[in-house]
Amino acid sequence: MGVTYKYFGAPNGATAARVPISMRPEELGGDELGMGGMFTRIKPETVAAMVLTGIEGIPLHKVPPLELVVLHPDYAVVKLPMTVVDPLRGIGEESVGAAAFIWSTVPDRGGPRDAFTVYRLLHEWQDFSHRLHEAGHQPYCLVWP
């Protein structure tokens, strides 16, 4: 049994901290990644590294850490740095494709392995990034076993 992640946007940490109570970010003025909320096994650290190394060219050891918002015995909420979602808003198809290819060749890491799966994931994150920006929200991740 592994850990499950649900990515969402919220206006602030206090709002994000209340999301696990209902599991519905939209009830608290938030937004979710994917249609109807997307539950995934892809760690936020992996997503951060995928964007920052594949698009921004930042070395893996310089990827900023996640910020812990809530630590509860049954779940946790972490905040992703805006540097993870902001770069996605300004890039085109060619950059998304190149980043997907680069990330698919990185050895010994978790997450999707083939370039097309990474490409689709980056597009979902790109759409999510636009929605977060339009709403003035920050990216968060609900983590639970």
Side-chain angles (χ1 to χ4, degrees):
M1 191 162 118
V3 176
T4 302
Y5 306 94
K6 183 172 188 161
Y7 295 93
F8 65 96
N12 53 52
T15 302
R18 293 194 310 270
V19 165
I21 297 165
S22 73
M23 298 292 285
R24 304 299 307 163
E26 71 276 3
E27 293 172 11
L28 299 168
D31 187 11
E32 294 177 309
L33 175 64
M35 297 302 289
M38 187 169 93
F39 296 89
T40 180
R41 297 259 183 228
I42 301 172
K43 296 189 291 188
E45 297 90 339
T46 301
V47 172
M50 189 184 311
V51 170
L52 295 176
T53 60
I55 294 171
E56 294 289 286
I58 295 172
L60 277 175
H61 69 280
K62 293 204 177 201
V63 172
L66 305 174
E67 178 184 323
L68 183 64
V69 177
V70 173
L71 181 58
H72 183 275
D74 298 326
Y75 61 85
V77 174
V78 295
K79 178 181 175 189
L80 285 78
M82 285 306 290
T83 54
V84 172
V85 292
D86 282 347
L88 289 167
R89 286 199 324 272
I91 64 170
E93 283 296 309
E94 191 173 300
S95 295
V96 172
F101 176 75
I102 290 165
W103 188 253
S104 71
T105 64
V106 174
D108 300 325
R109 46 107 190 120
R113 302 210 181 280
D114 67 277
F116 184 69
T117 302
V118 176
Y119 176 81
R120 284 195 337 234
L121 178 69
L122 286 172
H123 263 292
E124 288 173 6
W125 271 90
Q126 193 172 39
D127 293 342
F128 186 50
S129 176
H130 284 288
R131 291 195 314 270
L132 287 176
H133 181 71
E134 289 165 9
H137 289 173
Q138 303 287 312
Y140 294 90
C141 183
L142 175 61
V143 181
W144 73 96

